[in-house]
Amino acid sequence: MSGEKSLFTRIIEGEIPSFKVFENEHVYSFLDINPATLGHVLVIPKEPAPYLHELSVESASEVGKALPRICKGVLEATGATSYNIIQNNGSEAGQTVFHVHFHIIPRYQDSTHNFTWKPLKLNKNDASLLAKEISGHIY
Ligand code: 5GP
């Protein structure tokens, strides 16, 4: 990892301005500069890990605790009743800022954004092996 501060660390530190909606010792949340819909916010750990799987247990649990509270705040403030949580890891997954972040994106009747994929069929023969393989790598 380079020693350079991530864009979001610079936001946390106030070097780059943001419209903050929540902050505590471990978590920061602010309006996305290019919102998909009204009320699109980002929730980030203060720990500067690029990817979710690199986060410390403490940061991960603090983000996990903050997320539902911030979602509620977004819904109450915007009047939306539906929302998506998006969390991209890696450029192939669409990540452009390499500091863990969760998007909370309210969805309205006239919202047009989508996150669809063409579903494959789970291969039942391989599934058991695959599940065991993944399971064996969870520490
Ligand atoms: P990603 O594509 O990495 O999942 O999402 C990065 C998000 O960060 C994008 O939705 C983008 O609009 C937002 N973003 C990038 N730069 C800034 C910034 O300087 N300020 C704010 N508030 N959001 C930013």
Side-chain angles (χ1 to χ4, degrees):
M1 211 174 106
S2 82
E4 264 185 37
K5 282 185 205 167
S6 76
L7 173 69
F8 288 169
T9 294
R10 294 172 66 201
I11 285 180
I12 293 165
E13 293 178 355
E15 205 181 301
I16 295 174
S18 68
F19 294 94
K20 177 168 81 174
V21 303
F22 176 83
E23 180 173 17
N24 67 17
E25 192 189 340
H26 298 281
V27 178
Y28 192 88
S29 178
F30 55 107
L31 297 182
D32 194 294
I33 204 163
N34 292 127
T37 64
L38 178 81
H40 179 170
V41 307
L42 299 174
V43 180
I44 64 179
K46 290 189 174 176
E47 182 184 338
Y51 307 116
L52 187 65
H53 60 273
E54 295 179 330
L55 264 192
S56 66
V57 170
E58 185 178 40
S59 277
S61 51
E62 289 294 334
V63 169
K65 279 197 285 185
L67 268 169
R69 295 174 62 199
I70 300 169
C71 288
K72 254 190 185 168
V74 168
L75 294 181
E76 287 181 15
T78 60
T81 53
S82 300
Y83 60 102
N84 297 98
I85 302 279
I86 304 292
Q87 205 278 314
N88 300 323
N89 295 276
S91 41
E92 281 166 354
Q95 185 176 13
T96 58
V97 178
F98 292 86
H99 180 134
V100 171
H101 53 282
F102 289 77
H103 298 256
I104 301 175
I105 306 178
R107 185 157 206 112
Y108 306 95
Q109 291 245 309
D110 59 352
S111 295
T112 54
H113 60 285
N114 64 61
F115 317 97
T116 57
W117 58 86
K118 201 166 157 226
L120 305 172
K121 276 257 177 289
L122 181 66
N123 181 330
K124 301 265 168 47
N125 297 321
D126 299 342
S128 160
L129 197 64
L130 178 62
K132 277 202 192 99
E133 188 69 23
I134 295 171
S135 184
H137 284 87
I138 300 174
Y139 317 108

